[in-house]
């Protein structure tokens, strides 16, 4: 289970707006990815219903045994019959550092994408991301923005871009 959060790495109480299941088949060898929309309604073991991106945080807030990862594993098992063996969670800084350590990643941009993001390193505190169709090399910060963009696209588009960045990272 691959989780992305905008909270700091040492902060447990956080929503996971990126939830992706990686299924690894060593016999092929192959990796399949399944993204869960962050607003997908799921049922908790208590019977309560809420968005899937709240489960991780709720696991810690309710002192669930094993915290957020354990509660999310149970919710995925009960709602979808999916067993989670392992999980990894990354925050913005970890994501940027991983991509930059690789020297960036190349993705095939299919549709124009324009968005503006907060950027502490920019003189005006924000930076525009303007991408056009074709193969594009992205730095860690650009890859994060590309994967997070919501301005003119859907959560399904966002999930597709997240998977593209992850696959580009794996290729590298």
């Amino acid at each position: 289970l691959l989780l992305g959060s905008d909270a700091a790495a040492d902060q447990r109480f956080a929503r996971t707006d990126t939830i992706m299941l990686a299924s690894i088949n060593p016999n092929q060898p192959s990796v399949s990815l399944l993204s869960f929309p962050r607003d997908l309604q799921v049922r908790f073991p208590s019977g309560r219903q809420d968005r899937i991106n709240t489960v991780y945080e709720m696991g810690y807030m309710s002192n669930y045994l094993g915290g957020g990862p354990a509660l999310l594993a149970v919710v995925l098992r009960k709602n979808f019959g999916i067993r989670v063996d392992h999980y990894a969670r990354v925050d913005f800084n970890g994501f940027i550092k991983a991509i930059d350590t690789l020297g960036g990643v190349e993705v095939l941009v299919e549709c124009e994408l324009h968005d503006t993001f907060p950027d502490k390193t920019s003189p005006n505190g924000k930076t525009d991301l303007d991408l056009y169709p074709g193969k594009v090399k992205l730095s860690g910060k650009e890859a994060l923005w590309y994967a997070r963009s919501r301005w003119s696209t859907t959560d399904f588009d966002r999930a597709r871009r997240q998977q593209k960045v992850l696959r580009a990272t794996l290729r590298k």
Side-chain angles (χ1 to χ4, degrees):
L1 188 64
L2 307 175
L3 307 171
S5 173
D6 60 0
D10 61 349
Q11 184 180 352
R12 297 185 317 174
F13 298 108
R15 292 189 177 169
T16 47
D17 278 350
T18 298
I19 302 172
M20 194 181 303
L21 185 75
S23 179
I24 302 166
N25 183 342
N27 297 328
Q28 290 281 326
S30 67
V31 177
S32 298
L33 298 172
L34 174 64
S35 296
F36 293 88
R38 62 194 176 101
D39 292 332
L40 181 68
Q41 292 290 310
V42 292
R43 188 168 304 282
F44 285 66
S46 65
R48 171 182 174 215
Q49 199 166 311
D50 205 341
R51 294 183 320 275
I52 195 169
N53 74 335
T54 67
V55 175
Y56 185 89
E57 179 181 42
M58 191 56 63
Y60 286 112
M61 290 176 63
S62 66
N63 293 316
Y64 191 82
L65 183 62
L71 182 57
L72 190 50
V74 167
V75 167
L76 289 172
R77 179 71 160 211
K78 290 194 178 288
N79 284 263
F80 306 106
I82 296 170
R83 191 183 88 230
V84 174
D85 295 316
H86 306 283
Y87 86 98
R89 177 179 160 235
V90 67
D91 66 352
F92 290 172
N93 291 331
F95 181 90
I96 291 169
K97 186 175 181 180
I99 300 294
D100 285 343
T101 298
L102 294 172
V105 293
E106 280 190 350
V107 297
L108 181 61
V109 174
E110 296 170 352
C111 304
E112 269 189 49
L113 183 70
H114 306 281
D115 207 338
T116 302
F117 293 90
D119 185 0
K120 294 176 188 174
T121 63
S122 174
N124 66 355
K126 60 185 180 177
T127 299
D128 293 331
L129 179 69
D130 296 300
L131 298 176
Y132 299 90
K135 196 175 250 186
V136 178
K137 185 172 183 180
L138 302 171
S139 68
K141 194 182 289 188
E142 292 166 334
L144 178 68
W145 292 340
Y146 178 69
R148 291 192 69 229
S149 180
R150 294 182 225 175
W151 177 247
S152 62
T153 63
T154 68
D155 263 352
F156 297 107
D157 297 325
R158 187 171 177 250
R160 187 183 72 252
R161 288 192 307 272
Q162 290 170 352
Q163 288 189 13
K164 280 184 173 211
V165 170
L166 185 58
R167 288 186 184 282
T169 304
L170 291 172
R171 278 194 304 275
K172 193 101 184 234

